Amino acid sequence: MNPVLPQRWRWLALLLFSGLLGGVLRALHFPAGVLLGCMVVGILMSVQWGQMDLPTPFFVLAQAVLGSLMAQSMRPPALTKVLADWPLFLGINLLVISAAGLLGWLLVRRKVLPGTTALWGIAPGAASAMVLMAESHGADMRLVAFMQYTRVVLVTAVAAGVAHLAMTVATVPAVPDQSTGLQNLYHVGATLLLIIAAALAAQRWHIPAGGLVLALVCGTTLQALGVLVIELPPALLVLAYAVIGWSIGLRFTREILLHAWQALPMMLAAIAALMGLSLVLALLLVLLVGVAPLTAYLATSPGGADSVVVIAATSAVDASFVMAMQLVRFLMVLVLGPRVTAWLARR
């Protein structure tokens, strides 16, 4: 029987150890290091001393911050590239999404994971967004997170290794560095208003993953019209990733961890199959379209989108092409995901 720890000491321990582990992972340039560190600490705390409830408004605000971060990447150059080559972006991403759906359906048929969890867990979109969407549509958020972040770590590690081997010249970051200081307090204030408005509307109308969806759609639209320049304070990004990590980790139980461990071999096989298909699609882009090999590989890598975009920004590749391909896939999964998942679940 574990000793009972007062609630205030649990929260203090959660903040302290999350800061330590998240800081270490971030210093090591680990993908989504703060989020993963907070999720791991949340899991350990929940298993050791029982589940802790995170206030819902904090969670919705974190969703809105994540949506604004994604909208920030949808600048006019990226949108122009998508519109000019829309058949290519649509076709490649449909193949990746279809393959992921088939693999998820096979896992569901073999009852590797309960319900439609496997369909969400293999979905090749932004991992954090898929976890949020999964909960809103009845899947087990904890197992989806386990599968999504296992995929993120594997894909990112392989992509980073390939990029390191492929680079032959020094490169300059192609996208803004989120760690740099703020440039314009007016832009920051307008971005914070977007985040708060999206979160309030999501709670008011009970929109599934509404904070993320509303901030992404409204932020992209306003930015494209020149009305808004999205600028996010680095500290706010860290807090948002921490809240999302805690919201996932604090829901784990010993039983969930045991089930996830038993399903791990099949999860790894499905992830490897998805990565293999992405490699084939990258070869097709190189041979048929003339895209540079490393650009094609990063563009077709099955997420997380944030991590792949960071790798692209510091490598000798066409970063805007990679960014656009990853974000188009995320939007397609966001729109088609619930419908495809329900359709596959019925079969």
Side-chain angles (χ1 to χ4, degrees), residues 104-129:
W105 178 78
L106 291 174
L107 291 176
V108 171
R109 285 296 299 270
R110 294 179 65 88
K111 298 183 180 179
V112 175
L113 294 169
T116 60
T117 298
L119 292 171
W120 288 104
I122 198 67
S128 302

Side-chain angles (χ1 to χ4, degrees), residues 37-57:
C38 292
M39 184 174 73
V40 169
V41 172
I43 292 172
L44 295 176
M45 292 282 295
S46 181
V47 170
Q48 181 69 20
W49 287 302
Q51 293 175 293
M52 300 160 62
D53 294 325
L54 193 70
T56 301

